[in-house]
Amino acid sequence: MTNALIVDAALALLVLGLALWVIATRAAYRAVVGFVAYGLLMAIIWVRLAAVDVAMTEAALGTGLTGLLLLGAAARLAPYETAEFDRRPGRGLRVLIGLLCAAVTLGLAAVVLLLPAPAPSLASLVADNLPPTGVGNPVTGVLLAHRAIDTLLESVVLLPALIGVWSVAANPAWGGRPGSLPRPPASSALTLLAQVLPPFGILVGIHLVWNGADDPGGKFQGATVLAAMWILVLIAGLREAPALRERRLRVLLVVGALVFIGIGASGIWLAGAFLAYPEGYAKPLILAIEAVLTLSIAATLGLLLAGPPAGDRPIGTTS
Amino acid sequence: MDLAALLVTPFARLTELGGLLLVIPLMLPVVGLLLAPLLRGRWLGGGLLGRFTLLLLLLGLVAALAVATAVLTGDEALKYYLGGWLPPLGVALKADGLSAIMLLLSAVVILAVGVYAQREFQVPPDASETRASLVFWMLLMGVWAGLNAAFLGQDLFTLFVALELLTFSAVPLVALDGRAETLAAALRYLLFALLGSVLYLLGAVLFYGTYATLDITLLAERISGEPALPPAVIAAAALMTVGLLAKTALFPLHLWLPPAHAGAPPPASAILSALVVKASFFLILRLWFDVMPGALTPMTAQILGGLGAGAILFGNLVALRQARLKLLIAYSTVAQIGYLFLIFPLAARAESAALTGGMLQVVAHALAKAAMFMAAGLIAKALGHDRVRDLGGCVRVLPLTLLAFGLAGLSLIGLQPSGGYLTKTLLTAAADGTGQGWLGLVIQVGGLLTAAYLFWVFGHVLFGVPSTPAMPIKPPGRAQELVVLALALGALLLGLVPPALFDLVEVGRAGLEASAAVATAMAGAFGWSKLWGDVWPLLVVGLLVLGMLPWPDRPAGGSPRPATTSLSVTGHWAADLGTLLEPADRGLRQWPVAGLSLLILLLALAAAISTGA
């Protein structure tokens, strides 16, 4: 038995154990902590499967950003948890549902094991068709050229999601600053962190996007890092969150997808199809799209964390 | 002449674009969604954003008409390869006849809603933007974008993104008024719809793992070449079907629909009931008729048809018990969704009638239900409430609105020449022709139950004691009333459309004879014996229901409210039936029970699909 196999088996058992623990544990807060650990382990597993892009996305979005949102939700829900627990269905129903869930899980596991091996894949087809896109990372090639429409629509989906968050604001607060971020008492450690970390974070974010053209990385991962830096600065109180009615902010939110559509539409005349790139200009255009999309996605993700508008008072102060 | 040429020339040039034409309905709403946060202030006497959206909707209608014309005259599906990449590498768009119908239907209904909502979601003169105005208009664009992407997408993952766009846009519309009750309804909708998305995505992953493609045409080729369905495909089909059923709210997975559709602002309810649930239904059709056409085993078809029949009976009976008009209409949607699933048991041997009837149901119900929800909105706005028992006297205040409500109701009941009539005639004929007469019986009973609750509403409207002084608090806008009436008339007169236009249903699929089926159904629709045969059961139901109305004991004095009401004999029967059904509905709409239903359905479907594999 090789060392790698032992590590893989341990990872698999750990992930399964954590997944069961997340389901079984009663307190939402502990479940969220378990979920974050689970996500980080999943990221390692993706690395083991040589899917570095997926690993980065899992770590940044699936674990980091989602974990933050879930932690916030768990903290707010804590006072109601006992009451909710008392309202759970009877034991018989729970056992029945548990058994059926187990049956579905086992069925799915069997189906996955029965999938054709070696797995049929488009990887070689993608590799053959990568040169016209000018990029070296096949994931970027697929996301920005072969399946550009999916990436475009995915980045558009973020907007209704953000509007959904904003829509729970009170009418008088509309257009004001977002108010869901915690604002811990000022401490020199937090301030120092918020001053020292962002320059590096921004560099890492830009590197991820720039690098994404030829190596693992890309706009979603880079944007998450940028958003995290922004949120850190806001939580430390070094800057106030912008009022959501500000036109510059609104432009920032939509400019990425609009540029994407604009370049895609110009493809109709210059390259013969919507979302096609003219020969020889594919790579610079893809980089341009990635750059503006990163800004828009970072702003959207940051604002998703910052929550609905709560009026114009600075965050953290209670009226 | 010149004016006509001016109108026709650009239109003709649009239809000449071929596949590229499909990019317009795909991208127009997306661009609208993206520009919306930047448009504030006022324009043309209203909010800039609302007026801009209206303009975009008009363009969208022209584009949808162009697609329908191109598909119908070309007699073949339009196809477009995005970025010039062919599947399986790239993503294709395709508009066959069904897509063209759905595009056109969405454009018409959303345009009507856009006109109606100008007044409801305008920006007050002293503000540049309000919460409700931005959220409503943006999400209206979002819903439209999701719908069009779902109707045009040919790739299972693109369709997933379309569903996400649709869900994330539709859910906040439910909670637009910000009450705790509607927020709870929106969360319920969000969680159940997301569960549906996850199941759908899981299915798509299994398809990719088996065939390394997500393109519908390629998948169909590879699946039809299989001697037996692989286990992964069986699991994928079951997962995707159940996920989409949860999003369509087919009985018994309807836990989220009544509070969500009844709690949303009326124009949003109209969109949700008329179009949003139809998108996931449309994808179920795509799955069973386009991705795996030969794989619909009799058992699977019976399960889906059985749930549809259950929805028709259960939804209509529970609708009969609702005290609030909007909830009544929402339960009516639960029932009307049921008709759509009768397609499956009928399609094996009567595909023309089943598919044509099903698509007619989609169109007729969308027009009628949008009209009814918006009419109910006008009533609620004018009276300040929507309690059915207190609707007395409102016919004097809102004659046009109630006329529209009634005409839309005639289509739901299925009287000639409405779209509902065609649906019921085609589906009943198909049921009789395939030896499934019990489905025909369910259709007839469903029509009578629909008639019962409409008679109940109109009984209160016409004979109820006015509960408030008959002065509207806020008279409805003339444009609002007219647009509701236009939708209702559209549903009612659908049967008079030249049958040749129904050939649109069959473009892109072989062996269908839609126009012939429609022509047969319409022939003799207005014969005296046929008319009388259709009307007398309704009259009996009407008399029974009127006997059921609580006749107010008129107070002797000047007090405007009746002190007590006494129920008649039929009223007691209904009350007894109601005491049985209402707890059943409440039980089914509990989270654990709905989850249990979903699990059982998933396993049953997987078993049913594998019986033929």
Side-chain angles (χ1 to χ4, degrees):
Chain A
M1 203 184 269
T2 61
N3 287 341
L5 196 62
I6 296 173
V7 172
D8 287 347
L11 273 176
L13 285 176
L14 257 177
V15 160
L16 278 178
L18 262 177
L20 284 174
W21 189 74
V22 168
I23 295 173
T25 192
R26 281 183 190 176
Y29 185 79
R30 280 191 290 173
V32 173
V33 173
F35 175 78
V36 170
Y38 167 89
L40 291 174
L41 282 176
M42 279 305 293
I44 298 175
I45 289 182
W46 287 120
V47 174
R48 289 287 305 143
L49 292 170
V52 184
D53 283 278
V54 184
M56 283 190 195
T57 316
E58 174 81 47
L61 285 158
T63 307
L65 191 99
T66 316
L68 265 179
L69 283 171
L70 288 175
L71 278 177
R76 286 178 181 225
L77 289 175
Y80 311 101
E81 262 181 71
T82 351
E84 197 58 36
F85 186 73
D86 292 339
R87 287 210 337 234
R88 72 197 160 140
R91 180 181 291 274
L93 195 53
R94 273 184 292 148
V95 170
L96 184 60
I97 292 175
L99 286 176
L100 288 175
C101 282
V104 171
T105 309
L106 290 177
L108 280 177
V111 161
V112 169
L113 288 177
L114 286 172
L115 279 177
S121 161
L122 290 178
S124 63
L125 193 60
V126 170
D128 293 344
N129 286 283
L130 207 53
T133 67
V135 294
N137 178 2
V139 175
T140 306
V142 169
L143 291 183
L144 268 298
H146 305 157
R147 302 184 64 98
I149 185 70
D150 293 346
T151 309
L152 170 59
L153 290 177
E154 287 276 18
S155 61
V156 170
V157 171
L158 287 174
L159 201 55
L162 180 64
I163 293 297
V165 170
W166 287 6
S167 75
V168 300
N171 277 333
W174 182 253
R177 300 177 197 280
S180 295
L181 287 178
R183 185 71 171 271
S187 74
S188 50
L190 183 63
T191 310
L192 185 68
L193 188 69
Q195 283 168 336
V196 171
L197 203 54
F200 296 102
I202 291 170
L203 213 57
V204 170
I206 294 174
H207 174 77
L208 277 173
V209 179
W210 177 252
N211 221 25
D214 293 318
D215 291 305
K219 64 207 161 312
F220 264 100
Q221 298 92 327
T224 313
V225 176
L226 293 182
M229 294 306 116
W230 188 35
I231 293 298
L232 178 63
V233 170
L234 294 184
I235 289 180
L238 297 182
R239 285 276 186 286
E240 285 299 338
L244 300 180
R245 73 172 75 81
E246 270 185 34
R247 192 175 287 268
R248 275 185 311 172
L249 181 79
R250 301 270 179 100
V251 171
L252 191 60
L253 288 177
V254 299
V255 68
L258 281 175
V259 167
F260 202 161
I261 294 175
I263 291 179
S266 71
I268 297 173
W269 291 276
L270 300 176
F274 181 62
L275 293 175
Y277 304 106
E279 219 181 314
Y281 292 92
K283 187 168 180 185
L285 287 175
I286 287 177
L287 282 178
I289 291 171
E290 289 238 286
V292 274
L293 261 187
T294 306
L295 290 178
S296 290
I297 294 171
T300 315
L301 294 180
L303 289 176
L304 274 172
L305 280 172
D312 282 330
R313 64 197 166 75
I315 56 167
T317 58
T318 44
S319 50
Chain B
M1 279 306 278
D2 281 339
L3 186 66
L6 214 62
L7 284 172
V8 168
T9 319
F11 192 73
R13 289 190 57 185
L14 266 184
T15 52
E16 279 164 14
L17 282 179
L20 184 59
L21 180 57
L22 304 182
V23 173
I24 301 176
L26 185 71
M27 279 298 128
L28 201 61
V30 172
V31 171
L33 173 68
L34 292 169
L35 290 179
L38 310 177
L39 302 173
R40 56 183 95 173
R42 298 172 62 76
W43 187 43
L44 296 179
L48 168 59
L49 182 53
R51 297 292 196 254
F52 168 77
T53 310
L54 205 55
L55 193 71
L56 223 53
L57 286 167
L58 281 169
L59 291 177
L61 182 61
V62 173
L65 277 170
V67 171
T69 313
V71 169
L72 187 63
T73 54
D75 202 20
E76 67 176 353
L78 289 179
K79 218 160 180 189
Y80 190 70
Y81 300 111
L82 288 161
W85 300 102
L86 295 185
L89 197 61
V91 173
L93 300 177
K94 184 172 127 183
D96 57 3
L98 300 188
S99 317
I101 294 173
M102 298 306 292
L103 283 178
L104 194 54
L105 177 70
S106 313
V108 168
V109 173
I110 300 182
L111 177 62
V113 166
V115 173
Y116 178 98
Q118 289 296 320
R119 188 178 161 99
E120 210 133 319
F121 292 102
Q122 60 177 324
V123 182
D126 55 335
S128 64
E129 173 185 290
T130 64
R131 183 184 69 90
S133 72
L134 181 76
V135 173
F136 177 80
W137 291 113
M138 263 188 91
L139 296 183
L140 188 68
M141 289 292 104
V143 166
W144 191 25
L147 288 170
N148 284 359
F151 300 146
L152 291 171
Q154 271 292 292
D155 180 284
L156 294 183
F157 187 74
T158 309
L159 291 173
F160 169 75
V161 184
L163 282 176
E164 290 304 273
L165 193 52
L166 195 58
T167 305
F168 283 119
S169 302
V171 167
L173 282 177
V174 169
L176 205 53
D177 71 358
R179 282 178 296 140
E181 179 190 327
T182 55
L183 270 173
L187 265 183
R188 205 169 236 263
Y189 178 20
L190 177 69
L191 290 179
F192 213 60
L194 281 187
L195 183 62
S197 299
V198 171
L199 295 178
Y200 174 93
L201 188 59
L202 204 50
V205 167
L206 289 176
F207 269 121
Y208 184 82
T210 313
Y211 299 115
T213 178
L214 293 164
D215 180 74
I216 288 181
T217 315
L218 290 177
L219 278 175
E221 278 170 18
R222 291 181 195 176
I223 292 172
S224 63
E226 297 268 9
L229 288 184
V233 172
I234 296 172
L239 288 164
M240 291 176 107
T241 308
V242 170
L244 292 167
L245 288 181
K247 281 178 179 282
T248 314
L250 178 64
F251 167 86
L253 303 179
H254 64 289
L255 87 159
W256 59 268
L257 190 146
H261 287 195
S269 303
I271 293 290
L272 295 172
S273 242
L275 300 174
V276 174
V277 288
K278 308 287 166 50
S280 40
F281 166 74
F282 183 80
L283 296 189
I284 299 178
L285 274 191
R286 276 266 186 264
L287 179 67
W288 287 107
F289 287 85
D290 290 340
V291 179
M292 29 200 305
L296 187 66
T297 63
M299 193 74 130
T300 318
Q302 287 302 322
I303 291 181
L304 292 174
L307 294 179
I312 295 174
L313 296 176
F314 189 85
N316 277 329
L317 281 169
V318 180
L320 204 47
R321 292 284 306 165
Q322 297 307 311
R324 283 187 43 217
L325 189 57
K326 282 190 77 185
L327 263 174
L328 184 149
I329 304 174
Y331 272 103
S332 157
T333 297
V334 172
Q336 294 285 326
I337 288 169
Y339 288 97
L340 301 174
F341 287 86
L342 300 186
I343 292 182
F344 296 95
L346 300 177
R349 276 181 291 152
E351 201 179 351
S352 291
L355 257 188
T356 314
M359 284 314 283
L360 270 162
Q361 166 69 7
V362 169
V363 175
H365 175 248
L367 297 174
K369 199 45 71 77
M372 287 176 104
F373 262 122
M374 293 198 285
L378 293 179
I379 294 171
K381 193 136 209 178
L383 300 183
H385 71 80
D386 71 340
R387 292 183 302 274
V388 178
R389 278 177 196 282
D390 298 330
L391 288 183
C394 74
V395 70
R396 268 174 296 160
V397 188
L398 302 160
L400 216 51
T401 304
L402 283 160
L403 177 68
F405 189 88
L407 294 180
L410 290 184
S411 177
L412 287 195
I413 296 172
L415 269 187
Q416 36 282 69
S418 67
Y421 168 77
L422 277 179
T423 302
K424 286 172 64 177
T425 313
L426 287 170
L427 292 182
T428 310
D432 292 342
T434 57
Q436 304 179 84
W438 69 278
L439 286 177
L441 193 66
V442 169
I443 294 172
Q444 298 306 326
V445 172
L448 292 182
L449 289 172
T450 311
Y453 56 73
L454 291 171
F455 272 118
W456 194 66
V457 171
F458 272 90
H460 283 288
V461 166
L462 295 174
F463 307 120
V465 180
S467 58
T468 44
M471 273 297 289
I473 297 159
K474 201 172 179 186
R478 188 39 58 111
Q480 288 184 310
E481 285 200 304
L482 287 179
V483 86
V484 173
L485 189 63
L487 283 177
L489 282 174
L492 187 68
L493 302 180
L494 205 55
L496 301 182
V497 169
L501 288 183
F502 291 101
D503 279 335
L504 203 46
V505 174
E506 61 192 53
V507 178
R509 53 197 69 236
L512 286 191
E513 303 216 330
S515 59
V518 171
T520 320
M522 280 316 288
F526 292 103
W528 280 113
S529 63
K530 173 79 177 133
L531 264 179
W532 175 241
D534 286 344
V535 167
W536 76 259
L538 296 180
L539 291 179
V540 172
V541 168
L543 285 174
L544 276 173
V545 170
L546 292 182
M548 190 164 119
L549 283 180
W551 293 108
D553 303 331
R554 283 175 189 276
S559 159
R561 296 284 301 124
T564 56
T565 54
S566 59
L567 288 174
S568 59
V569 181
T570 42
H572 281 298
W573 297 344
D576 290 343
L577 192 59
T579 47
L580 285 176
L581 273 176
E582 279 190 322
D585 179 54
R586 228 175 297 131
L588 281 175
R589 295 202 299 109
Q590 297 283 321
W591 271 107
V593 182
L596 189 65
S597 313
L598 190 134
L599 283 167
I600 293 174
L601 204 53
L602 178 61
L603 293 170
L605 274 176
I609 298 166
S610 58
T611 53

